[in-house]
């Protein structure tokens, strides 16, 4: 990210990132791969279906906990991309033929972008950059490809229920130009439109707790289009697995802790044990 620029859009905790330095040819290749993958017949995609291993990896849906619940109007495909040792290649599609390589290259490019963003955040908070480098070492990263089919009765369904991401931050790339993302600010839903090939960066719950609430995670949802599918790729950047989630001592002023502490693993367990519901998990950590 040689000449990265951050444009604050709407709420302060959702950013549009342009001039991020990720090659356009790579982004275009990945976009074409993603569209081609989702356009395949169901039985070809089901080769990669999730197998309830608790990691959500593969093709399917997230946060399905009962037969009765109303599902979000979306298909997804999720792979863990970093640390590289945690990749499970059985979930990585072999077709289109360039897909694996493009995911790998994109994953690496985003570690550069993520490092720059952590540096900005550390500097803003007055925390030594090494602290963040240590918390996010090996760049834990997962990629979720979202496909939101059109629906003639779009107002009766929701693409993704309101939630904040359980990440440090998430980097969203719109694969096509169908809008639908909304963020919540002061109780109101505001539509976010992406600039071409810009990244939308959504701050996540982990950053909110670490920063003692100086940075707030952003609640967001996706609306469905009546005619066109929306397709996105969201790269989640989380901390290493053994993190104890609590405000960093450097940012706590006058001893006032705004959040309790919880292991990151427990936090993720709580997240996956319920349907997405706004910022409900982080609310419980608030003191
Ligand atoms: C997500 C998400 C938004 C979008 O995957 O967590 O919020 O526009 N996606 O796909
Ligand atoms: Ni999200």
């Amino acid at each position: 990210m040689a000449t990265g620029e951050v444009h604050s859009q709407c709420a302060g905790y959702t950013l549009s990132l342009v001039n991020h330095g990720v090659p356009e040819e790579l982004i275009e290749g990945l976009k074409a791969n993603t569209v081609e993958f989702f356009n395949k017949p169901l039985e070809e995609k089901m080769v990669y279906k999730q197998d309830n291993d608790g990691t959500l990896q593969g093709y399917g849906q997230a946060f399905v906990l009962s037969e009765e619940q109303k599902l979000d109007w979306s298909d997804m495909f999720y792979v863990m991309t970093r640390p590289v040792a945690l990749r499970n290649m059985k979930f990585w599609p072999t077709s289109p033929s360039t897909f694996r390589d493009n995911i790998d290259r994109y994953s690496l490019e985003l570690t550069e972008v993520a490092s720059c963003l952590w540096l900005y955040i550390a500097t803003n908070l007055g925390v030594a950059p090494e602290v963040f480098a240590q918390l996010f070492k090996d760049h834990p990263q997962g990629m979720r490809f979202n496909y939101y089919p059109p629906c003639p009765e779009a107002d009766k369904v929701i693409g993704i229920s309101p939630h904040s991401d359980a990440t440090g931050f998430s980097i969203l790339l719109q694969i096509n130009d169908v809008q639908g993302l909304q963020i919540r600010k002061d109780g109101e839903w505001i539509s976010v439109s992406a600039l071409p090939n810009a990244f939308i960066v959504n701050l996540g719950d982990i950053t909110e707790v670490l920063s003692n609430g100086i940075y707030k995670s952003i609640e967001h949802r996706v609306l469905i289009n009546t005619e066109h599918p929306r397709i996105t790729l969201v790269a989640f950047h989380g901390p290493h697995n053994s993190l104890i989630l609590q405000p960093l001592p450097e940012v706590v002023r006058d001893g006032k802790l705004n959040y309790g502490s919880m292991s990151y693993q427990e936090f993720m367990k709580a997240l996956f044990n319920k349907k997405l519901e706004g910022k409900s998990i982080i609310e419980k950590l608030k003191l």
Side-chain angles (χ1 to χ4, degrees), residues 139-198:
H139 291 282
Q141 184 195 64
M143 288 200 194
R144 174 168 165 166
F145 299 77
N146 293 300
Y147 183 93
Y148 307 94
C151 176
E153 295 194 86
D155 54 341
K156 298 220 167 83
V157 293
I158 185 106
I160 291 195
S161 302
H163 68 284
S164 53
D165 294 342
T167 56
F169 49 73
S170 308
I171 301 179
L172 186 154
L173 172 70
Q174 285 200 181
I175 298 289
N176 64 8
D177 57 9
V178 177
Q179 310 292 342
L181 180 66
Q182 291 194 319
I183 56 173
R184 191 166 179 150
K185 184 170 190 281
D186 304 327
E188 301 278 317
W189 287 106
I190 300 170
S191 296
V192 176
S193 41
L195 303 166
N197 283 355

Side-chain angles (χ1 to χ4, degrees), residues 80 91 104 147 201 223 248:
M80 266 150 63
F91 293 116
D104 180 46
Y147 183 93
V201 179
L223 300 185
L248 292 169

Side-chain angles (χ1 to χ4, degrees), residues 259-273:
Y259 302 83
S261 99
M262 190 184 207
S263 78
Y264 173 62
Q265 289 181 11
E266 257 180 86
F267 187 85
M268 294 310 279
K269 225 189 275 166
L271 176 75
F272 288 132
N273 275 338

